Amino acid sequence: MSILQVKNLTHSYNGNTPFVNDAVSNVSFAVEKGEILGIIGHTGSGKSTLVQHLNGLLKPTDGQILFENEDIWKNPKEIRKIRSKIGLVFQYPEYQLFEETVFSDIAFGPKNMGLSDDELDKRVKEICEIVGVKPEYLQKSPFDLSGGEKRRVAIAGVMAMRPEIIVFDEPTAGLDPKGRDNIIKIIKDYRKAFNATVIIISHSMEDMALLADKLLVMNKGNLEMFDTVDNVFSQGDKLREIGLNVPIVTRVFNKLKALGVDVNENVFTVTDAVNELKRIKAGDGNA
Amino acid sequence: MLKDITFGQYFESASIIHKIDPRIKIVLMIAIIVLIFTSGNFFALFLSTFFIITTLLLSKVPFKMYIKNMKAILPVLIFTAIINLFYGEGASLFPDIPVLSHITFEGLYRSVFMALRILLLIFVSSVLTYTTTPNDLTDAIERLLSPLKYLGLKNAVHTLAMMMTIALRFIPTLIEEAEKIMNAQKARGADLESGGLVERVKALIPILIPLLISSVRRASELAEAMECRCYNGGEGKTRLKQMHLKKLDYLCLIVFVFYSFAVILTNIIF
């Protein structure tokens, strides 16, 4: 059973004016429990609008979103419950920190769910272990932290609600390589710890190759492709047509192939590349 | 919901009022306000009413836009009218009815007079804001105040105008930012819609603090960017858009002179 189903979702901005504009039009897809789904697309292709529907921040102009086979808008008063089950981490989430201490900022989400103080304490500590925030930081002001630390605290703020599905809008934007790897590890760890489903928007094809099971490609508000990572990245020309690309290592192997070297082109990560090169080397030795 | 906020109520249209030099518009607006305030009788006020209604029609801004502005100030209008109605001197119009016995002919006269006066003031200022972009307005204010530099306030006028321009420029940005932060906090389960007054004010804290912090950050970034481009105040700065008085502006001034003479004459005669 799919945990989340999006059916014929359409969203128009400026609905009743001459400037009517479909930001997302007739998009349907389903996400399985425990899966990592990557969403890629050119700037302005409707990715952010799409994910804001998933937890009911935007109401679809047309179509449905089903969470565990139930329309999330079935009971509009209960939409805040949906938001704690489907967490959404916005772009640059560190800009939404506001509390006096790291602890109370992380506890803001769970507190809104009406949890007891003991439970809050437990959840904050547990999530801090996953995101790597040291216990002595909990009483510090979030504004005294470094950029990467702020980002981790902000992500922890959403994770502390223990959402079953967690959606990230460009979680690694503006971070250095180490910070980026760190965030990727946090996402993987959270998923493992809570058997959660993850949806990620990213412009980094390399991140997608490392993380995602499936990819959803958006173009001008339409769903262009929805397939496994291998199948999407093997259509490099189509991706380039809509302003995207394949990971850099894949481009290297495409070039090698074009130069007449007999390589497998389905190489998306550095690990894949190393394995493929080893295979070729072993083959050469035999020949 | 935040997108509904309109600031600087410029209404795009190709009327002659839109084409008048903003400096002329500001000066004339002030002059008209003075004329309205110095008018002592209804004849003078009717002249102004006629003049202003003509301007409204020439501005090609839908009349309901002016009505909308009027509605905002309606409580003040009614309050003034009622106060004036009951505090007039002279003989009572209804001596037998308890409360209404305070109403006199003079009171009624003053009440209508004051209400009309306020109405005209609102219409005049609405014409200005509907037909002039906020940027043109600040530009014009800067130029009108420029003689102050001879009083030793060399940079003050430019600084003030720059501050106004920047403030206007950042209103849409701040609205967008506020919306983003609201969504982010809603995603964390913040409840912004229900609860009593105290709860609602408390619910604003998670939005206002990040907004304040990002405004300060933006301000310092903007200051650095301006310094990188060698901004050092108004001195020696030339302008992209020059303002020159044209035929239309002189014509406008001539019409105004006639109108003001008429108002002054009626004030003397009646």
Side-chain angles (χ1 to χ4, degrees), chain B residues 78-221:
Chain B
I78 292 171
F79 184 73
T80 318
I82 290 177
I83 294 283
N84 277 297
L85 189 62
F86 284 96
Y87 286 89
E89 286 163 6
S92 175
L93 284 178
F94 314 100
D96 306 328
I97 309 165
V99 181
L100 298 182
S101 65
H102 289 286
I103 298 174
T104 65
F105 179 72
E106 281 77 7
L108 190 65
Y109 180 91
R110 275 180 62 87
S111 160
V112 176
F113 191 81
M114 287 303 218
L116 184 58
R117 204 184 239 179
I118 294 176
L119 213 57
L120 290 180
L121 291 180
I122 296 160
F123 283 152
V124 169
S125 50
S126 307
V127 174
L128 181 71
T129 50
Y130 278 140
T131 63
T132 322
T133 62
N135 278 336
D136 275 351
L137 269 183
T138 47
D139 237 17
I141 290 171
E142 179 177 358
R143 267 174 245 215
L144 285 172
L145 293 179
S146 63
L148 285 178
K149 67 181 169 223
Y150 301 113
L151 294 174
L153 295 165
K154 217 171 186 179
N155 263 324
V157 175
H158 174 78
T159 310
L160 194 74
M162 183 54 91
M163 272 159 59
M164 280 167 70
T165 314
I166 291 174
L168 288 171
R169 155 68 185 79
F170 275 95
I171 287 170
T173 313
L174 281 182
I175 291 176
E176 198 181 302
E177 180 100 12
E179 226 150 55
K180 256 189 217 159
I181 295 170
M182 270 169 77
N183 274 338
Q185 306 298 23
K186 270 194 204 160
R188 291 209 278 167
D191 184 6
L192 305 174
E193 275 110 27
S194 58
L197 186 68
V198 181
E199 275 107 54
R200 276 180 189 229
V201 172
K202 268 191 186 162
L204 283 179
I205 294 173
I207 291 151
L208 291 182
I209 290 178
L211 197 59
L212 190 74
I213 290 166
S214 76
S215 316
V216 173
R217 197 191 65 239
R218 252 180 233 286
S220 79
E221 276 170 9

Side-chain angles (χ1 to χ4, degrees), chain A residues 253 256 261-264 267 273-287:
Chain A
F253 278 77
L256 283 174
V261 185
D262 184 25
V263 290
N264 180 0
V267 169
V274 171
N275 290 338
E276 178 64 12
L277 288 175
K278 273 184 186 157
R279 190 187 66 81
I280 294 170
K281 206 177 164 197
D284 276 353
N286 290 340

Side-chain angles (χ1 to χ4, degrees), chain A residues 24 29 40 71 84 94 110 116 148 168 188 199 240 243 247 251 260:
Chain A
V24 174
F29 63 93
I40 55 178
D71 190 336
S84 65
E94 58 272 29
S116 69
F168 293 91
K188 281 182 167 168
I199 299 176
R240 273 183 284 271
R251 273 179 261 169

